[in-house]
Amino acid sequence: MVRESSSSSGGGAGGEMAMKPAWLEGLLGETFFAACGVHHNRRKNEKNIFCLDCCQSFCPHCLPSHPSHPLLQVRRYVYHDVIRLDDLEKLIDCSFIQPYTINSAKVIFLNQRAQSRSFKGSPNICFNCDRILQEPFHFCSLSCKVDHMVYQGEDLSSILYRFDESDFTISQFEGLRMDGSELIDDGSRITPNNPILEHPLQFMGSSCSSNGMGSSGISCDTEKKKKKVGSGFLPGIVLSLSNRRKGAPHRSPLS
């Protein structure tokens, strides 16, 4: 992993050395997970792959058009774009950016997230957007770190790496099927309503579907039988108690 060397000698905010390379500008400015215009009539057509050569995003159906280009997969975490830290740190220095864990893998947010209020009184906040962070991190996303460095007039080449294209080949997507089946592993797109984050029993419906199967995958007939078996004893006890005549209490004979 080799850092990019700066070819400019200018400095200060807005200087040439603070400019973003094309792939970084495209990555941070791209709108991911929109429907692909070329494959709008296909399933799984969300644009979640970024080409580092073309500096644009596309869907998995477009992979044959980029056979030898370095590719980067973008994922979703609580409705925001993230990239695995293992992939991103091959391109750029991610130190002091707070990572998050998704399916046992650390990810980095691409852009800052909106927040309802400022937390400037907190002990540790993002240098760029004031979001609360854990120690010892200074940035909540990649864009916050890059924008902060550009604003300070720092040399971005000091954090950029000359990456090996063999780490981003199309072979990493060989397991994806283009027949409309699972194109990207479900674990890469997690939202607050995903059962991975919640207890599965929370999503079991109280009624059965038309095919006789509940949301838990258990047959409704089976559930009804269990209810009948479990409820046949208690009503009998209640009935026998209600039919008992009230009379003088029976005392045990004295010995």
Side-chain angles (χ1 to χ4, degrees):
M1 186 180 297
V2 181
R3 293 185 184 273
E4 292 281 2
S5 59
S6 175
S7 58
S8 61
S9 57
E16 290 184 3
M17 66 169 55
M19 293 181 62
K20 305 172 188 176
W23 70 264
L24 183 58
E25 185 81 39
L27 181 66
L28 296 179
E30 187 64 85
T31 300
F32 293 99
F33 291 93
C36 176
V38 179
H39 301 100
H40 59 88
N41 59 343
R42 302 285 297 275
R43 293 181 64 247
K44 302 293 184 180
N45 64 349
E46 296 174 325
K47 298 192 295 182
N48 56 358
I49 302 175
F50 184 79
C51 179
L52 296 170
D53 274 358
C54 303
C55 302
Q56 65 179 12
S57 63
F58 55 87
C59 78
H61 300 288
C62 298
L63 279 172
S65 301
H66 303 260
S68 59
H69 294 179
L71 305 175
L72 191 63
Q73 184 174 353
V74 180
R75 293 170 165 82
R76 289 285 260 182
Y77 182 72
V78 290
Y79 302 106
H80 292 277
D81 302 330
V82 299
I83 294 181
R84 286 183 176 175
L85 178 59
D86 288 344
D87 294 335
L88 196 56
E89 63 185 0
K90 297 174 184 176
L91 300 168
I92 190 170
D93 182 3
C94 297
S95 59
F96 299 109
I97 304 177
Q98 179 166 306
Y100 295 81
T101 301
I102 167 176
N103 284 2
S104 302
K106 290 185 177 181
V107 299
I108 295 291
F109 280 96
L110 282 183
N111 296 289
Q112 71 180 67
R113 292 156 288 156
Q115 50 187 345
S116 57
R117 52 180 176 167
S118 176
F119 297 93
K120 292 185 178 180
S122 301
N124 190 49
I125 58 176
C126 176
F127 284 1
N128 190 64
C129 70
D130 299 332
R131 176 174 288 274
I132 294 180
L133 301 175
Q134 298 176 357
E135 295 284 356
F137 303 107
H138 301 325
F139 306 100
C140 68
S141 64
L142 176 62
S143 67
C144 280
K145 179 173 182 175
V146 172
D147 290 345
H148 179 76
M149 292 187 65
V150 171
Y151 180 79
Q152 296 294 327
E154 298 181 34
D155 188 358
L156 288 182
S157 65
S158 64
I159 64 171
L160 297 174
Y161 298 128
R162 188 176 297 112
F163 61 89
D164 187 352
E165 293 191 3
S166 63
D167 292 331
F168 302 95
T169 61
I170 197 173
S171 61
Q172 63 182 305
F173 303 100
E174 287 180 352
L176 308 184
R177 293 186 290 180
M178 297 299 118
D179 57 356
S181 301
E182 288 299 326
L183 298 172
I184 298 295
D185 56 299
D186 286 337
S188 67
R189 186 176 184 181
I190 294 182
T191 63
N193 295 326
N194 195 302
I196 295 177
L197 297 183
E198 305 291 343
H199 196 283
L201 295 180
Q202 179 179 343
F203 298 88
M204 292 173 60
S206 58
S207 60
C208 300
S209 60
S210 58
N211 61 357
M213 298 295 291
S215 61
S216 62
I218 301 176
S219 173
C220 295
D221 294 335
T222 304
E223 292 180 352
K224 290 178 180 178
K225 289 180 181 179
K226 289 181 178 180
K227 290 179 180 179
K228 289 181 179 180
V229 173
S231 61
F233 182 67
L234 184 58
I237 297 178
V238 176
L239 181 61
S240 62
L241 292 176
S242 63
N243 290 337
R244 290 181 60 181
R245 296 179 60 184
K246 294 181 179 180
H250 296 281
R251 303 178 185 274
S252 60
L254 298 176
S255 56

